[in-house]
Amino acid sequence: MTDPIELLRRQVSDLHQELVRYQLVVWTAGNVSARVPGEDLMVIKPSGVSYDELTPENMILCDLDGKVIEGEHSPSSDTAAHAYVYRNMPEVGGVVHTHSTYACAWAARGEAVPCVLTAMADEFGAEIPIGPFALIGDDSIGRGIVDTLRGHRSPAVLMKSHGVFTIGKDAKAAVKAAVMCEDVARTVHISRQLGEPLPIAQSDIDSLNFRYQNVYGQQPVKETNS
């Protein structure tokens, strides 16, 4: 049986390459983490290590206070923020941070991305909200993430003058939210160059989000007694 922590090391390492693939990060910025199921532990990227040099072996195992349990490197400088999210949102299994260009442009303006596309209604179910400005180094960013996203449908928040943080049931879902966040931020920005984007009725947003979250895609086959 595969060690669940070793499996998460591999998954988190691989998911960092998705940030590069979708051009959500540059140099060593950005990070992915995953909660270890059933444990007060998480796996996160090492600080300042090139994406080309990331491997399952150099992923860092921390507790949910950000203390290193296993690893030869220092953990990501955003570790305190990730840890705060996990401590305060037990349903979250993955956290991602990026500085993707278009989403950061909205963050620099301190402006939420309005829900004006069906793809946004599907994935986010609402606008992509703005979180407060916070300095890196302690759990201030984590507090802003939790305060903004708790009770909100969106799995993404634009931290003012900083960048994108996304959450998900696991790290892959959080990466998907980061990819979708940048995609819709770019499209809505382009739309505003042409004029004011048209709003979508809240009832339609609700309907689209429900369908996407509960009906879209391949559903598990229900077992029948025979």
Side-chain angles (χ1 to χ4, degrees):
M1 183 176 295
T2 303
D3 183 333
I5 293 177
E6 293 308 310
L7 180 61
L8 274 185
R9 287 181 187 272
R10 188 176 309 116
Q11 291 175 342
V12 170
S13 177
D14 290 347
L15 284 169
H16 279 93
Q17 302 311 316
E18 295 299 293
L19 303 187
V20 176
R21 175 186 176 194
Y22 287 99
Q23 300 182 325
L24 304 185
V25 294
V26 296
W27 204 239
T28 62
N31 38 72
V32 178
S33 73
R35 185 197 294 268
V36 178
E39 304 285 346
D40 289 333
L41 299 170
M42 66 177 184
V43 174
I44 194 167
K45 169 184 177 284
S47 178
V49 175
S50 167
Y51 281 84
D52 291 339
E53 298 174 1
L54 294 181
T55 65
E57 291 72 29
N58 61 25
M59 295 297 107
I60 310 300
L61 180 67
C62 297
D63 66 18
L64 297 191
D65 291 314
K67 179 183 177 182
V68 174
I69 304 301
E70 292 178 5
E72 298 181 358
H73 297 78
S74 298
S76 166
S77 56
D78 290 302
T79 295
H82 290 240
Y84 187 92
V85 172
Y86 290 129
R87 291 199 307 272
N88 290 276
M89 301 182 80
E91 71 278 14
V92 171
V95 178
V96 171
H97 173 46
T98 75
H99 295 162
S100 58
T101 303
Y102 284 88
C104 279
W106 290 84
R109 289 176 48 83
E111 185 176 357
V113 183
C115 187
V116 293
L117 296 165
T118 59
M120 284 192 70
D122 288 345
E123 180 70 22
F124 302 97
E127 69 178 14
I128 300 174
I130 284 286
F133 177 78
L135 294 176
I136 197 167
D138 58 19
D139 61 12
S140 297
I141 293 173
R143 289 199 302 271
I145 296 167
V146 171
D147 290 347
T148 305
L149 292 184
R150 181 177 277 157
H152 200 291
R153 280 179 178 166
S154 175
V157 55
L158 309 178
M159 294 300 285
K160 185 178 179 182
S161 303
H162 185 173
V164 181
F165 282 86
T166 60
I167 58 175
K169 63 182 175 132
D170 53 30
K172 183 177 181 180
V175 169
K176 178 192 174 188
V179 172
M180 296 296 291
C181 178
E182 177 65 4
D183 182 62
V184 298
R186 178 174 59 248
T187 304
V188 178
H189 167 77
I190 293 170
S191 173
R192 292 210 310 183
Q193 311 314 300
L194 303 174
E196 190 65 26
L198 301 176
I200 298 175
Q202 186 61 53
S203 60
D204 290 331
I205 293 173
D206 294 342
S207 177
L208 287 161
N209 184 254
F210 179 85
R211 177 184 177 278
Y212 186 76
Q213 300 298 333
N214 297 282
V215 179
Y216 174 81
Q218 302 301 310
Q219 302 302 312
V221 177
K222 294 183 179 179
E223 293 184 4
T224 58
N225 294 324
S226 58

